[in-house]
Amino acid sequence: EPAAGGGAYAAAFEAQHRREFGFTFAERPVLIDDIRVRGTGLSPPAPAAPTAAASGALPPPTSVGRTYFESGWEETPSYSLQSLAPGNVLEGPALLLDDISTVVVEPNCTATVTATGHLEILVRPRKGARGETRTGPEAQRGAEAAPAEGAPSPSGDADPVQLSLYSHRFMGIAEQMGRTLQRTSVSTNIKERLDFSCALFDASGGLVANAPHIPVHLGAMQDAVQLQQRRWEGDINAGDVFLSNCPHTAGGSHLPDLTVITPAFLPGDGEAPAFWVASRGHHADIGGATPGSMPPFSHSLSEEGARIVGFRLVSRGVLQEEGVRSILAKSRNLADNLSDLKAQVAANEMGLRLLASLAAESSLAAVRSYMHHIQANAEATVRAMLRAFAARAGLGANGVCTAADQLDDGSEIRLAVTIDAAAGSATFDFSGTSPQSYSNLNAPRAVTYSAVIYSLRALCDTDMPLNQGCLAPVTFVLPEGSPSPPPGPSFPGHVPDTSTPPLQEPLAEARRLA
C-alpha cells in the first residue's frame, strides 16, 4: 500500500526482490521486520588554500628528456609542481612532479594552473601518428576500417589480448555467481562446505566458462543444460528457471545434486535464449531412505530420494513453491531445500545481469564471438597437448595407453586411450569394463565426461577456462551395461568412487612424461 509519505514500500520491495533473486511470490503478504532511516547532508565546500599571486611567467624546466607516447618519442620537459604559479600554462608533452606524485601532460593536451593552485588539463581530439591529425578521405577510410573495441575482427580471428580479457570476464561472472550462492544459501553443505558449482553456457548449451568449484559437476552440467533445452523446446520464456537432478535422463551427477538452469534473453535478440547460466548444489537431504539421501545399501534410484527429470521452478518470474514442496515432500529438511534453491536462482540471476552488462558494454556479437574463440582455443590447446604427449611417450601415429583399476566390490574398470598424433585427437574406450553393479557404485555418462574433461584440463599448462572445447578432440566408447553409463533408471550412482579411478593411472603417467 502507498505509505503516508508517498512511498510504495511493497512495490519497491518486490522490485528489489525480483532484481536480486529473479522471481517474486504470488499473493504473499510482506512483513516489515525493521526500519532503518538514513540521513544525508551537504557540507559547504572547504575554503580554498591561499596561493601565490597569479603570474604567467613559466619557470624553466628542471630537466628535459625523451619520453615515448602513442605518437612516438617526444622531447619532454619536467617541472616541479611547487615551482608553478596560478596562470602558468604548459603545452604537452610535459611531466609535473612533486614528492608523492607525477602528472603526465600528453601531447596535444594543455595544463593550466588555476587561481586556487589546482591543475586543469584540456584534452583535445585525438591525433594520428607523430602528432599529425588525420583529416579528409584518409581519416574516413581509417574510421570505416577500424572495428569497434572488443568486437570480433572482420576476418573472424581472435585478438589475443581480447581473448584473455573475455576469458577472465566470463570466469569472473561464474565466480560472482558462486559468491552470491554462498552468501544467500543457508545449508552447511553449500554455505560452508562449498559443495556447489556455477557456469556459463552459449546459446546451444555448450560450456563456456566455470568458476573453480567442484570438478565432477563441471563437465556434467553441459549435458543437464542441453537436455533441458530439448525437453522444453518451444516453451522457454523470459523469467523461466528449470530444475533437474536425474543422473540417467537429465545430465545429473547423483540425486542430491540439484541443478538450477536459467535462460538469458537479451533485448532485440529474438525469442530464443542468447546464453544460459546454471548452478548445481548438493542438498543435504531430498527424501532418501536414510538421512543424507545417499544410502550405502541402495540398489535402486528411488532409494536416494526425489528424481527430477525436468521441472519449471520459476514460471515467467513467479516461483512455483507449491510444486517444489510436492516434489520434495519426503525431505527431512524442506526449509533448507527451499532456501538453497532460492539461493541458486539468485546466483543465476546475478550471472544474467553480468552477462547483459557485458553485452551492453561491448556488443552481443563480440560476446558470442569470443565465447566461440575461447572454446576453439581450448580445443587447440588440448590437441597440442595430446600431440606432445604422444611424442614424449613414443606412441607413434596411433598409439594406445591402457589402465585398469578395481572398485571395492571387485568390479574392474578398463580404459584404453588411443591418440591420433596427426589430428591431435583421442578415443577413450571403456570396453572390457565389468558389468554394472547392483549397488550405488555406478557413474552416469555425464560424470564420465566430467572426469575426462577435468583430467585433460589438468594436463594443459595454458591458463584457460575449462569448457566444451576440451572435449571436442575426444571420442568416447562407453559399452552399454557397464558402470558408466548405467543402462536404465533403476540403479543409483555414487559419483566420487567411480568417476576418477580409471583415469588416475594415465594421468599420473602423463604428468611423469610432461
Side-chain angles (χ1 to χ4, degrees), residues 100-413:
I100 60 172
S101 64
T102 299
V103 178
V104 179
V105 183
E106 295 193 25
N108 209 41
C109 296
T110 302
T112 304
V113 182
T114 67
T116 57
H118 298 151
L119 279 175
E120 182 178 277
I121 299 180
L122 173 64
V123 180
R124 297 189 183 89
R126 189 175 178 181
K127 289 184 177 181
R130 301 292 173 185
E132 295 182 1
T133 304
R134 292 186 296 174
T135 58
E138 182 182 352
Q140 179 65 25
R141 286 194 299 270
E144 292 172 355
E149 183 177 353
S153 64
S155 65
D157 297 330
D159 176 79
V161 175
Q162 291 293 333
L163 183 68
S164 178
L165 290 174
Y166 274 97
S167 294
H168 286 86
R169 287 292 293 270
F170 293 144
M171 286 280 288
I173 291 173
E175 289 172 356
Q176 287 291 338
M177 291 172 62
R179 292 189 186 100
T180 300
L181 179 51
Q182 182 185 7
R183 176 173 56 85
T184 55
S185 60
V186 299
S187 70
T188 301
N189 265 1
I190 294 179
K191 195 174 194 68
E192 298 181 23
R193 203 165 61 79
L194 308 182
D195 194 347
F196 64 81
S197 295
C198 300
L200 313 181
F201 304 83
D202 60 22
S204 68
L207 179 63
V208 173
N210 59 270
H213 292 147
I214 306 299
V216 77
H217 291 170
L218 301 174
M221 287 171 70
Q222 174 176 300
D223 266 15
V225 172
Q226 292 175 337
L227 286 164
Q228 293 306 308
Q229 280 184 307
R230 294 194 291 270
R231 178 179 177 83
W232 301 96
E233 187 175 4
D235 190 21
I236 302 173
N237 311 297
D240 286 353
V241 181
F242 304 102
L243 172 67
S244 68
N245 74 341
C246 182
H248 301 297
T249 57
S253 39
H254 61 164
L255 290 185
D257 285 342
L258 300 186
T259 306
V260 173
I261 302 165
T262 306
F265 292 86
L266 296 183
D269 188 47
E271 299 180 357
F275 315 109
W276 294 76
V277 294
S279 55
R280 176 170 289 182
H282 185 114
H283 289 241
D285 195 280
I286 56 167
T290 61
S293 296
M294 292 193 299
F297 53 78
S298 58
H299 299 295
S300 67
L301 199 60
S302 61
E303 293 176 89
E304 293 191 344
R307 173 173 167 261
I308 308 167
V309 176
F311 173 70
R312 202 186 301 264
L313 178 62
V314 179
S315 178
R316 298 180 184 270
V318 179
L319 181 70
Q320 306 300 299
E321 186 170 332
E322 290 306 314
V324 179
R325 289 181 178 274
S326 174
I327 291 171
L328 300 177
K330 295 182 179 180
S331 172
R332 295 167 178 83
N333 197 343
L334 182 57
D336 277 12
N337 294 131
L338 291 171
S339 294
D340 284 350
L341 285 173
K342 294 171 188 175
Q344 288 179 250
V345 176
N348 289 6
E349 186 68 18
M350 171 62 75
L352 296 187
R353 290 205 306 272
L354 293 175
L355 274 173
S357 175
L358 179 58
E361 178 184 322
S362 51
S363 71
L364 180 57
V367 173
R368 280 179 167 157
S369 177
Y370 274 93
M371 282 186 169
H372 168 74
H373 288 318
I374 288 166
Q375 292 169 336
N377 179 61
E379 177 182 349
T381 301
V382 171
R383 288 188 186 276
M385 180 274 293
L386 290 171
R387 292 189 186 102
F389 171 72
R392 288 193 301 269
L395 297 181
N398 285 281
V400 181
C401 294
T402 61
D405 207 341
Q406 287 187 331
L407 301 180
D408 293 345
D409 64 355
S411 298
E412 190 170 30
I413 300 178

